[in-house]
Amino acid sequence: MLTSAKSAIEFDRKNLDNSVLLNLYEGMLKPRMIEEKMLILLRQGKISKWFSGIGQEAISVGLTMAMKPEEYILPMHRNLGVFTSRNIPLYRLFSQWQGKSNGFTKGRDRSFHFGTQEFHLVGMISHLGPQLGVADGIALANLLKGNHQATAVFSGEGGTSEGDFHEALNVASVWQLPVLFCVENNGYALSTPTNEQYRCEHIADRAKGYGMESHILDGNNILEVFTKLSELTESIRQEPRPILLEFKTFRMRGHEEASGTKYVPDALMDEWAKKDPLLNYKIFLKETGVLSDALEASMEAKISEEISVHLQKANEESKIVPDETIELNDVYKDFVYQETVSNSNNENIRLIDAISQGLRQSMERHDDLVIMGQDIADYGGVFKITEGFLEQFGSERVRNTPICESAIVEAAMGLSIVGIKSVVEMQFADFASSGFNPIVNYLAKSHYRWNQNADVVIRMPCGAGVAAGPFHSQTNEAWFTKTPGLKVVYPAFPYDAKGLLATAIEDPNPVLFFEHKALYRSIRQDVPVDYYTLPFGKASLLSEGHQVSIITYGAGVHWALEILDKHPTIAADVLDLRTLQPLDLDAIFASVKKTGKVIVLQEDSLFGGIASDISATIMEHCFEFLDAPVKRVASMDTPIPFINDLEEQYLAKGKLEKTLLELLDY
């Protein structure tokens, strides 16, 4: 509490009308009163958790009121003032916090971990950093659309230690994106003080390394925040560029209520308590005659009544009734496959040509489709798949990126939020590990969490057999097939690759599209010249027989066919899965029931691969039809070696023939 009637903060109203001054006050008062009520409910056990923003309201309210309603803000869990300033009905917020249907996540995510297109807000995930790159994507979409809109994204000072912070700021600077990076420096990341978080004097100093403008603001001074951000938002709308903003403030309560503040010295708490943004601003307004006691009481009564009415409405709302069908159906956005058939002539092309052709024709079909990746523009990509694309489609749609897999995946998510499709090329599938978090935690979960799809295809050049060693040879599909919300495609032939890539781009869900490097230039096929699509979840039966089923995909398909050519008397089904998520279980079961003997072949190492899940599924559903144990054939459980002899020993190909003959003799 303040110990005197004099404001501890120096306010400058500039030329602001009294109505604006009062709107700013009411804007801060509302989240403060809501928080005070929520803390009571927390102690009563009526809400499960609370992340307090008391003492930081000036930042949320000042920023939001400086921005236009149609401009996206990406807040965090202490930015209640952002949500209230966007005039979200309070009962919806209360329902969200209680995990009810009128909230924004159907009870699937907590507190402020949600977004809403209606109010142009995109909430955080617990990993903090990814939303910075998502803001890049939204800002890029605004730049491409030429709509002169700004984007703002929040981070705490602790979040600036994450690699996503560096990547997002670097991309924004290189691309000159109109985005405000707003760092609330409130002293502690949970219990870690700033002197254990970074060594520079100010976080804003980091902007110099990115060639970026920066400003340090008093985060407790609502007038400084509002006036400066009004100026900056208008500036970047007209002159697009990123700006790093550091708001000096303090967290007056625990990281969340249960953690407390015992680690904070009492003197520091007392110092910042004197700088309370709401109480100091109230003193200023009363000193200048803008706010009377009667008006203050009227505002408080109005907000108190609003809180009570909306809280009662949320309390009266029924709890969500678990429904397994609803849960499963919401993992992906609905996609009704529409077959497009090509009536054109065929041409005999390689797998790499088919992928390039399919991508080019999709770029022509979807006139705002953006492709992003390292060296894909002038150079045409390391495998030359995008050669000539820059000349045809321009640098706005064919975008070279810095080496920053996370930020580019996140930017693709941001593009999707604004309705733009994108294709991201991982230079090698191995490098997806550097973008793993946003793939499995953002893209995969976004639609399930708050009904926002991720219209993103990630191309994954993969596979061994080219003497590329441990970091350029992995076939890492199993990292993603087990993650609900992702689709995984893995073609073995040019015809399938072109048609499935077209479908992947049409599909509004995130798709991992695996392309085996050893097949790029070694496999040819007659392929229609024009655009066409192929359905997901439909395997291809390449060979029919009654003795054994070989279920495989990617390079494994060609290994199986090669072995059968060597043993022409073996009558085998060879089932090319083509897509791994969704999986064609009907085709698998039909083949198993016909032959009674099964090999599931994968190039990936054995343990934890998709062959294990397919094998278990067959055992659960087709056990009575089996005449022998299901056999898994996979590569060694080692990293992939470089030298040819070691690589040949590693690969599953060398184990297939022996296993096949043993199974037939069982």
Side-chain angles (χ1 to χ4, degrees):
M1 296 292 295
L2 294 176
T3 57
S4 72
K6 182 174 176 58
S7 173
I9 297 173
E10 185 175 335
F11 294 99
D12 180 359
R13 66 176 293 168
K14 298 188 184 297
N15 59 349
L16 297 177
D17 293 336
N18 285 356
S19 61
V20 175
L21 298 179
L22 290 171
N23 283 341
L24 292 170
Y25 176 72
E26 189 171 5
M28 286 198 293
L29 180 63
K30 189 171 185 177
R32 176 69 63 90
M33 291 181 66
I34 292 171
E35 282 220 42
E36 290 170 346
K37 182 66 173 180
M38 291 305 108
L39 292 173
I40 294 172
L41 296 180
L42 181 69
R43 290 192 290 271
Q44 294 174 345
K46 294 181 179 179
I47 58 174
S48 63
K49 207 157 192 161
W50 189 256
F51 297 87
S52 178
I54 287 177
Q56 299 180 210
E57 296 93 343
I59 305 169
S60 298
V61 173
L63 169 76
T64 308
M65 289 192 172
M67 296 189 71
K68 297 178 179 179
E70 65 271 19
E71 292 177 322
Y72 283 93
I73 303 176
L74 292 82
M76 294 186 69
H77 47 219
R78 297 191 207 291
N79 299 123
L80 174 58
V82 171
F83 296 87
T84 54
S85 297
R86 280 283 163 97
N87 297 314
I88 294 179
L90 293 191
Y91 77 89
R92 296 203 65 190
L93 289 176
F94 298 154
S95 292
Q96 170 65 22
W97 302 335
Q98 294 180 28
K100 293 182 175 179
S101 295
N102 278 327
F104 296 89
T105 65
K106 300 182 181 178
R108 294 165 183 163
D109 213 338
R110 56 204 271 192
S111 59
F112 298 101
H113 291 218
F114 71 88
T116 160
Q117 286 284 10
E118 181 181 358
F119 298 98
H120 292 90
L121 299 177
V122 180
M124 61 180 288
I125 68 171
S126 295
H127 300 70
L128 306 180
Q131 67 186 43
L132 299 163
V134 174
D136 280 353
I138 294 172
L140 174 59
N142 290 334
L143 206 59
L144 295 176
K145 290 174 178 285
N147 59 20
H148 301 287
Q149 290 183 9
T151 302
V153 58
F154 281 89
S155 174
E157 84 287 340
T160 67
S161 295
E162 293 198 322
D164 298 82
F165 177 82
H166 160 72
E167 291 191 15
L169 267 67
N170 191 49
V171 169
S173 179
V174 171
W175 288 353
Q176 285 295 281
L177 301 176
V179 56
L180 300 175
F181 294 98
C182 304
V183 179
E184 294 179 291
N185 189 342
N186 63 16
Y188 288 83
L190 208 156
S191 70
T192 304
T194 55
N195 67 318
E196 296 179 12
Q197 197 72 243
Y198 56 85
R199 292 282 291 177
C200 54
E201 184 178 359
H202 305 291
I203 289 173
D205 294 341
R206 299 183 186 178
K208 297 175 184 176
Y210 303 108
M212 184 185 299
E213 178 182 343
S214 68
H215 300 272
I216 299 173
L217 302 178
D218 180 355
N220 287 27
N221 186 329
I222 182 67
L223 296 187
E224 181 176 329
V225 172
F226 175 72
T227 55
K228 188 62 177 179
L229 288 180
S230 296
E231 171 194 326
L232 292 177
T233 51
E234 185 56 34
S235 177
I236 68 171
R237 290 177 194 126
Q238 304 307 319
E239 183 187 343
R241 67 193 187 281
I243 300 176
L244 176 60
L245 300 169
E246 181 179 3
F247 298 93
K248 301 289 190 178
T249 185
F250 198 75
R251 171 162 53 78
M252 297 302 297
R253 303 189 69 87
H255 169 70
E256 42 82 29
E257 286 304 304
S259 66
T261 58
K262 289 183 179 180
Y263 47 83
V264 182
D266 291 341
L268 193 57
M269 291 291 289
D270 293 342
E271 176 187 344
W272 278 96
K274 296 174 184 176
K275 300 177 183 178
D276 183 286
L278 180 63
L279 298 181
N280 278 282
Y281 188 53
K282 179 171 70 172
I283 291 171
F284 166 75
L285 292 180
K286 288 193 171 184
E287 285 178 344
T288 54
V290 177
L291 178 67
S292 65
D293 290 345
L295 182 54
E296 177 192 359
S298 173
M299 283 183 179
E300 289 179 353
K302 183 182 74 169
I303 294 171
S304 180
E305 173 69 10
E306 183 182 5
I307 291 172
S308 297
V309 170
H310 284 254
L311 189 57
Q312 181 177 349
K313 183 174 182 178
N315 290 340
E316 291 173 352
E317 184 183 349
S318 299
K319 291 183 178 180
I320 288 176
V321 178
D323 186 312
E324 195 171 289
T325 300
I326 292 175
E327 291 298 290
L328 291 171
N329 286 345
D330 281 352
V331 173
Y332 298 96
K333 182 173 182 175
D334 287 341
F335 172 56
V336 179
Y337 170 72
Q338 299 289 331
E339 184 178 17
T340 301
V341 178
S342 172
N343 295 315
S344 65
N345 296 328
N346 292 342
E347 61 177 341
N348 190 261
I349 58 176
R350 304 166 298 176
L351 180 73
I352 196 168
D353 304 321
I355 293 168
S356 179
Q357 193 178 95
L359 184 57
R360 186 186 296 273
Q361 290 174 359
S362 289
M363 289 285 284
E364 294 167 345
R365 192 176 186 89
H366 307 283
D367 58 13
D368 63 351
L369 173 65
V370 174
I371 57 176
M372 300 182 287
Q374 296 160 29
D375 305 298
I376 66 165
D378 308 74
Y379 190 65
V382 294
F383 300 105
K384 302 303 179 185
I385 283 176
T386 54
E387 193 167 33
F389 279 42
L390 180 64
E391 291 76 12
Q392 182 174 353
F393 302 111
S395 59
E396 287 192 337
R397 296 180 61 201
V398 182
R399 305 189 74 91
N400 272 342
T401 71
I403 301 176
C404 51
E405 286 81 4
S406 276
I408 298 308
V409 172
E410 293 154 12
M413 180 72 225
L415 288 171
S416 182
I417 287 171
V418 190
I420 295 178
K421 292 177 177 287
S422 63
V423 174
V424 174
E425 179 184 301
M426 289 290 166
Q427 199 166 74
F428 294 86
D430 314 64
F431 299 166
S433 58
S434 294
F436 191 73
N437 179 33
I439 295 173
V440 302
N441 284 317
Y442 212 122
L443 272 60
K445 296 175 173 60
S446 184
H447 189 266
Y448 174 77
R449 289 172 54 244
W450 60 281
N451 203 40
Q452 175 58 56
N453 66 301
D455 199 346
V456 180
V457 175
I458 302 178
R459 291 184 41 244
M460 303 278 280
C462 65
V466 291
F471 307 116
H472 294 78
S473 304
Q474 294 176 87
T475 176
N476 46 2
E477 65 279 357
W479 295 359
F480 307 103
T481 53
K482 76 167 304 296
T483 302
L486 300 176
K487 297 187 178 183
V488 181
V489 180
Y490 204 143
F493 292 97
Y495 174 79
D496 295 336
K498 181 178 176 181
L500 290 170
L501 180 58
T503 302
I505 293 170
E506 289 192 3
D507 194 314
N509 296 286
V511 180
L512 280 295
F513 193 88
F514 283 82
E515 309 164 6
H516 202 293
K517 303 188 301 294
L519 304 182
Y520 268 159
R521 292 175 170 83
S522 63
I523 301 299
R524 303 185 72 96
Q525 195 178 30
D526 289 341
V527 176
V529 172
D530 291 343
Y531 182 92
Y532 64 93
T533 60
L534 291 173
F536 286 178
K538 295 294 182 183
S540 176
L541 187 60
L542 302 177
S543 170
E544 292 196 58
H546 63 280
Q547 291 179 288
V548 65
S549 300
I550 303 176
I551 300 168
T552 187
Y553 56 94
V557 172
H558 300 282
W559 299 342
L561 294 174
E562 184 180 323
I563 293 297
L564 291 178
D565 284 344
K566 184 178 176 181
H567 298 274
T569 60
I570 297 176
D573 271 7
V574 175
L575 191 66
D576 177 4
L577 294 172
R578 302 200 293 186
T579 66
L580 307 180
Q581 181 58 265
L583 195 61
D584 190 349
L585 291 176
D586 289 341
I588 291 172
F589 294 161
S591 181
V592 171
K593 290 175 182 179
K594 179 176 67 172
T595 67
K597 293 183 178 181
V598 188
I599 288 176
V600 186
L601 170 64
Q602 67 183 31
E603 180 179 332
D604 195 7
S605 53
L606 181 63
F607 190 83
I610 193 173
S612 299
D613 280 297
I614 295 173
S615 174
T617 303
I618 291 170
M619 293 294 289
E620 289 171 0
H621 294 274
C622 302
F623 180 77
E624 63 272 28
F625 296 94
L626 293 173
D627 297 323
V630 177
K631 302 297 290 184
R632 294 172 298 152
V633 178
S635 298
M636 292 172 62
D637 284 316
T638 69
I640 304 170
F642 154 60
I643 194 169
N644 286 334
D645 290 346
L646 290 178
E647 188 178 43
E648 288 177 9
Q649 175 185 258
Y650 163 85
L651 284 170
K653 180 179 181 180
K655 306 174 182 66
L656 176 59
E657 183 176 17
K658 181 174 181 290
T659 305
L660 175 61
L661 296 176
E662 288 175 350
L663 183 60
L664 290 171
D665 287 340
Y666 183 86

